[in-house]
Amino acid sequence: MEITTITLESNSIKIEATPNSRLPGVDLNNVKFGSVFSDHMFILDYEEGKWQNPRIVPYGDILMSPSISGLHYGQSIFEGMKAFRDKEGNIHIFRPILHLKRLNKSAARLCMPEVPEDIFLKALEKLISLDHRWVPKLPGALYIRPILFAVDEFLGMRPSLNYKLIIFTLPVNVYYNEPLKVYVTTEYVRASSGGIGYVKAAGNYARSLLINKIAQSKGCNVVLWLDAKERKFIEEYSTMNAFFVIDDFVVTPRLTGTILEGVTRDSVIQLLKAEGYRIYEREIAIDEVLDMLEKGHLKEAFGTGTAAVMAPVQEIHYRDNVYKLSDHRTWKIFPTIEKKLADIRALVVPDTFNWLHHVSI
Ligand SMILES: Cc1ncc(COP(=O)(O)O)c(C=O)c1O
C-alpha cells in the first residue's frame, strides 16, 4: 500500500464532493435531533503506525469486517461539539481544541493513537466549509461528531494496531423541549474510581441505556447518577454535568475521574466567575440537595452539555418521592449565564474568552 504523509496545506485532504446534496429535502429548523446528517464526512486512517489518507467523501455507509476489534472489545470513543452562526451569519466552532484534548485523553485511556491538532482542525474547517449550508441559524447549530474506533480484524485481548477517525456533522435544534424531570438512580452506577468515567467511551453510554429506559417509563427525561461506592454523592446527568444554586452560590461536583470533564461545564464555571458568583467544585450529596430544597435554599438546578447547552431542572424523583423546584422563569443565575453564553456564540458581545474558532467559507 502506498503511504501518504499528511502535509497541512488545505489541498492535502482529498475531497470527493457529492453531486446530489440532500439539503433541498431538509427543513433545518425542524429536524429531529440525531436523525438527519449533512452531505459529507471526513475519514482518516491510522495504519502502519501513522495517520494517513485524509479524505472527505459523501456521507454514507462504510465497509467493515465483523471481526474488527472496536466492535468486540470497546475501543471506540467519540466527541460531540457544535458549530454556530453568529449574528452576521459567520460560522464558528465552539472550543474545538478543548474537545480535541478530551478526545486525546479518551484515546490515551483506551490505548488508542492521539489525533494531531493540525489535522483535526484542518479536517473540521474543510468539512464545515464544504457543508456550510447545513449550519442552521441560532438557536440551532451544526453538531459535530468525531468517532475513533479500532479496525484490526483480530480477536484477542490487545490494543488494535489500526484505527479510523471519522468526523460527520448534523444540523440540530433544541435537545430538551421541556425542563428536566430527573430520575436519581441508586440501583445502577455509571462509573467507578479507576474506571473510564472521565472519558467519552462508547461503553459508558451503553451502561446508561437501561436506566434511561426505566427513567422514561417513570415520566422522567434524564437520569442523575450517584457515586458507585456509597450511592450518595452526585456525579452527573446521563448527558450533562450538574449544577446547583444554593442561596447565592453555585455548587458542581468536582472532577474526580468518574465524571466527564464537560466543555460546557468549564465554560459555565468561567462565566459564573466572570459574573462574580461564588462557585464551588466539591462533593455534593443528594441528601444535601433535597434538604436544601425542602428548606427553601435550593434556588436553581440545571444541567450543562453541548447538546442541551443549559437545561433547567423542574423535578427530582428520588426513592419514590418527587421534589419540585420553583419555576425556572423566576430564576436569576441560570438565565444570566445562559444569555451570556448565547451572546458570545452569536458574537453579540466580544468573545473575550477566545472560545470561537472561525470557519472561513
Ligand atoms: C455523560 C456526560 N456528561 C457530561 C456531558 C457534557 O459535556 P460537554 O459539555 O463537553 O458536552 C456529556 C456530553 O458530552 C456527557 O455525555
Side-chain angles (χ1 to χ4, degrees), residues 232 234 284-293 318-319:
K232 183 173 161 188
I234 289 171
I284 180 163
I286 184 67
D287 287 343
E288 178 184 347
V289 167
L290 298 177
D291 185 45
M292 288 293 116
L293 177 52
Y318 179 62
R319 294 191 191 281

Side-chain angles (χ1 to χ4, degrees), residues 24 34 58 75 132 196 269 281:
Q75 269 191 305
H132 68 271
I196 59 169
I269 289 174
E281 295 177 64

Side-chain angles (χ1 to χ4, degrees), residues 253-290:
R254 73 191 157 89
L255 304 174
T256 55
T258 55
I259 67 173
L260 198 72
E261 301 176 10
V263 172
T264 322
R265 175 188 182 279
D266 180 81
S267 312
V268 165
I269 289 174
Q270 290 193 50
L271 288 172
L272 284 164
K273 286 181 179 164
E275 289 299 298
Y277 291 111
R278 280 180 297 151
I279 158 90
Y280 300 102
E281 295 177 64
R282 64 158 164 90
E283 281 179 340
I284 180 163
I286 184 67
D287 287 343
E288 178 184 347
V289 167
L290 298 177

